[in-house]
């Protein structure tokens, strides 16, 4: 590895350099400090070594594997365990649930590496397991652009499975006399193909929905997680398993590659290097890139130009210098959710408001409003989209700056249910009433078109005190 260290060192000392299709920049080497997120922890005994995946389900809850179960977690902290059904076999080290994703059928799909199965769980907790061929070890899974589920295997294959269980496998070509293909994380790309990382040769690979495989230039260290960024490029983590050269990488669908070195994290280490070993990554609610560390109890924020800030997670004993699977996702409440050892951590970012669904005059479409009214204007915060109205502090809510006169919980309709009282879903919503005259005093002089009203407030302190907001419109009727 001396030759790689030598030219990499020269590149880093020189600033930003280009080598073939690879661009390296040192913009991230300053370990900046900024206002830290507000953390809330939710403990689970089966998260001994963390969890390799966490995803927002179609019901607006967080779903993640923990041991031999799939766990559902609401944004207000309510957990529901869904153990895998017994199959008469013994698994001393567990079934190896590796990843979970949302399918095209409103259910969640996951991999079971040890028995070699693809699992499906409905939001009601009904689990179905689909066996693969003998010896298969599925690892990561994603929804493809063709409506099928695509997964990688620990061996040299990429698989495709339809919702009715039809499986197609594609074998990767050899990568060298001492290299064995090992496809890892996989994502649907912006070009109608699937993209995945290969641990065997540290390359990004592309596979079309018809199975055509293309490998790209080898990265300088081992690639790991992959996602599509807001710029329609592929962003990925790269961990130096034998040294200090961790990176976040970026590659366009044409193969142009950039590398952003990550800062060191000084501490005693078992390998002699102060590297982070980046694990998972996501686009955060602040439109920056956020990533986890597999070796240190921190999360990192990186701007798209490569400037990095590290934030320590709440203390989790025994997590430094122990490999912990830390996944990360942006939740429906516009907070980050991170799997950690023994717990799920919610990170609320300063200045980022949680979005709620506001329905003014539930049951009405046009929401007519008269400035002359001396009554009350009803408005509801609808449950759903990951919002648990029990977490909201109603005394903090303001509609165009006007506090509510009173409030109660009652079912007024589901999110996206439409107008005229359609779609009662049996879930209590937060119904508030505001002084019509106080609201009228906040309105503009014009009456042309719909007039937006904005709701602001906060969650209760025990839920992090996060700011929330929502918007709906009214139509002004009658004379001024």
């Amino acid at each position: 590895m001396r030759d790689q260290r030598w030219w990499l060192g020269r590149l880093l000392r020189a600033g930003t350099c280009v080598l073939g299709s690879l661009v390296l920049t040192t913009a991230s080497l300053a370990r900046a400090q900024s206002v830290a997120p507000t953390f809330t922890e939710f403990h689970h005994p089966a998260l001994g070594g963390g969890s390799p995946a966490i995803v927002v389900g179609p019901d607006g809850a967080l779903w993640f594997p923990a041991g031999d179960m799939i766990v559902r977690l609401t944004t207000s902290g309510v957990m529901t365990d869904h153990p895998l059904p017994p199959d008469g076999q013994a698994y001393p080290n567990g079934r190896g649930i590796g990843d979970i994703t949302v399918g095209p059928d409103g259910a969640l799909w996951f991999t079971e590496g040890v028995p070699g199965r693809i699992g499906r769980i409905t939001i009601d907790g009904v689990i179905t397991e689909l066996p693969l061929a003998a010896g298969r070890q599925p690892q990561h899974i994603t929804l493809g652009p063709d409506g099928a589920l695509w997964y990688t295997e620990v061996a040299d294959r990429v698989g495709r499975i339809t919702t009715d269980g039809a499986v197609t496998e594609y074998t990767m070509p050899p990568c060298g006399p001492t290299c064995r293909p090992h496809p890892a994380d996989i994502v649907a790309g912006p070009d109608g193909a699937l993209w995945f990382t290969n641990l065997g040769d540290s390359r990004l690979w592309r596979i079309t929905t018809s199975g055509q495989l293309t490998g790209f230039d080898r990265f300088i260290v081992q690639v790991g997680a992959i996602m599509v960024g807001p710029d329609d490029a592929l962003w990925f983590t790269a961990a130096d398993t034998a040294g200090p050269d961790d990176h976040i990488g970026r590659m366009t669908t044409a193969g142009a590659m950039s590398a952003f070195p990550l800062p060191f994290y000084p501490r005693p280490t078992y390998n002699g290097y102060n590297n982070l070993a980046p694990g998972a990554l996501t686009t955060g609610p602040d439109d920056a890139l956020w990533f986890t560390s597999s070796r240190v109890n921190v999360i990192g924020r990186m701007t798209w130009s490569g400037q990095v800030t590290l934030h320590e997670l709440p203390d989790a004993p025994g997590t430094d210098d122990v490999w912990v699977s830390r996944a990360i996702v942006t939740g429906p409440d516009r907070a980050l959710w991170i799997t950690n050892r023994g717990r799920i951590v919610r990170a609320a970012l300063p200045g980022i408001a949680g979005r709620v669904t506001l329905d003014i005059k539930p049951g009405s479409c046009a929401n007519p409003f008269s400035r002359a009214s001396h009554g009350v204007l009803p408005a509801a915060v609808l449950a759903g989209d990951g919002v648990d109205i029990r977490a909201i502090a109603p005394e903090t809510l303001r509609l165009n700056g006007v506090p509510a006169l009173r409030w109660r919980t009652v079912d007024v309709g589901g999110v996206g249910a439409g107008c005229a009282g359609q779609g009662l879903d049996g879930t209590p919503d937060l119904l508030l009433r505001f002084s019509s005259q106080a609201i009228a005093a906040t309105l503009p002089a014009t009456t042309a078109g719909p007039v937006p009203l904005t709701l602001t407030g906060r969650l209760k302190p025990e839920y992090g005190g996060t700011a929330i907001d929502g918007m709906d419109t009214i139509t002004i009727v009658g004379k001024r």
Side-chain angles (χ1 to χ4, degrees):
M1 298 297 288
R2 178 187 176 279
D3 56 335
Q4 184 186 88
R5 295 286 181 270
W6 178 81
W7 63 256
L8 180 59
R10 292 194 63 180
L11 286 171
L12 294 179
R13 286 191 293 272
T16 300
C17 296
V18 180
L19 184 67
S21 63
L22 176 63
V23 179
L24 291 102
T25 174
T26 57
S28 66
L29 293 182
R31 185 176 170 219
Q33 295 296 326
S34 63
V35 179
T38 300
F39 295 112
T40 308
E41 299 179 81
F42 304 93
H43 294 259
H44 195 290
L47 289 172
S51 178
I54 186 169
V55 68
V56 178
D59 56 348
L62 289 306
W63 293 76
F64 59 92
D68 285 344
M69 65 182 73
I70 302 294
V71 182
R72 178 183 186 270
L73 170 65
T74 69
T75 54
S76 59
V78 178
M79 287 191 189
T80 306
D81 294 342
H82 299 288
L84 299 183
D87 61 359
Q89 303 296 316
Y91 301 97
N93 297 314
R95 298 195 200 184
I97 304 176
D99 199 6
I100 186 168
T101 193
V102 177
D105 53 353
L108 296 106
W109 292 71
F110 57 93
T111 59
E112 293 181 52
V114 177
R117 301 180 184 130
I118 301 295
R120 176 184 184 270
I121 182 170
T122 68
I123 58 174
D124 297 323
V126 178
I127 295 176
T128 307
E129 295 171 296
L130 305 174
L132 301 175
R136 302 297 189 259
Q137 293 179 280
Q139 187 174 12
H140 293 272
I141 190 168
T142 194
L143 176 62
D146 57 350
L149 286 307
W150 288 74
Y151 58 92
T152 58
E153 297 182 15
V154 172
D156 56 355
R157 299 177 184 89
V158 175
R160 176 186 185 271
I161 185 169
T162 64
T163 54
D164 58 4
V167 174
T168 308
E169 293 182 331
Y170 303 95
T171 302
M172 295 186 64
C175 57
T178 61
C179 169
R180 180 185 179 185
H182 185 166
D185 200 11
I186 186 168
V187 68
D191 56 349
L194 286 300
W195 292 76
F196 61 95
T197 54
N198 182 15
L199 304 185
D201 61 7
S202 295
R203 299 177 190 266
L204 267 60
W205 283 74
R206 178 183 187 268
I207 183 170
T208 66
T209 54
S210 61
Q212 181 179 353
L213 284 155
T214 305
F216 290 80
D217 288 347
R218 181 178 180 179
F219 198 69
I220 52 179
V221 290
Q222 191 176 77
V223 294
I226 187 172
M227 75 169 194
V228 177
D231 56 353
D232 281 343
L234 290 309
W235 290 78
F236 55 95
T237 60
D240 188 354
T241 57
D245 299 323
D246 291 337
H247 291 76
I248 297 294
R250 175 187 184 271
M251 192 177 82
T252 68
T253 54
M257 196 177 293
S258 304
F260 301 94
L262 295 180
F264 300 154
Y265 192 89
R267 72 200 191 286
T269 66
Y270 63 80
N271 68 353
Y273 293 99
N274 295 317
N275 59 327
L276 296 169
L281 72 173
T282 191
T283 300
D286 57 349
D287 295 325
L289 184 150
W290 288 79
F291 63 92
T292 64
S293 166
S294 299
R295 189 167 287 154
V296 188
N297 197 38
V298 300
I299 55 174
R301 177 186 187 272
M302 191 182 87
T303 67
W304 303 109
S305 61
Q307 295 176 331
V308 175
T309 305
L310 299 179
H311 297 286
E312 294 185 359
L313 292 169
D315 182 43
T319 55
D320 274 1
D321 294 331
V322 175
W323 200 268
V324 176
S325 294
R326 294 186 178 93
I328 187 169
V329 72
T330 296
D333 55 351
R334 300 174 74 187
L336 294 166
W337 292 78
I338 305 106
T339 63
N340 203 355
R341 193 172 191 178
R343 66 206 68 196
I344 300 292
V345 180
R346 179 184 185 273
L349 306 187
I352 300 295
R355 186 61 44 79
V356 299
T357 300
L358 176 66
D359 185 9
I360 294 175
K361 303 189 76 169
S364 171
C365 294
N367 300 337
F369 178 81
S370 171
R371 297 177 188 268
S373 172
H374 288 271
V376 295
L377 177 66
V381 177
L382 302 184
D385 280 350
V387 175
D388 187 334
I389 54 113
R390 294 173 299 180
I392 296 174
E395 68 277 5
T396 68
L397 297 179
R398 301 289 186 273
L399 186 62
N400 269 26
V402 177
L405 297 172
R406 53 188 180 275
W407 53 83
R408 64 188 179 103
T409 55
V410 60
D411 183 14
V412 300
V415 172
C419 307
Q422 301 174 12
L424 298 182
D425 58 4
T427 303
D429 307 295
L430 180 59
L431 179 63
L432 307 109
R433 299 187 184 277
F434 299 88
S435 164
S436 295
Q437 282 295 288
I439 295 295
T442 70
L443 300 178
T446 178
T447 59
V451 177
L453 300 184
T454 299
L455 183 80
T456 59
R458 291 192 172 275
L459 299 184
K460 296 175 182 176
E462 58 266 35
Y463 295 104
T466 306
I468 57 175
D469 63 31
M471 192 272 291
D472 198 4
T473 61
I474 59 174
T475 301
I476 298 177
V477 297
K479 296 182 180 180
R480 177 181 168 86

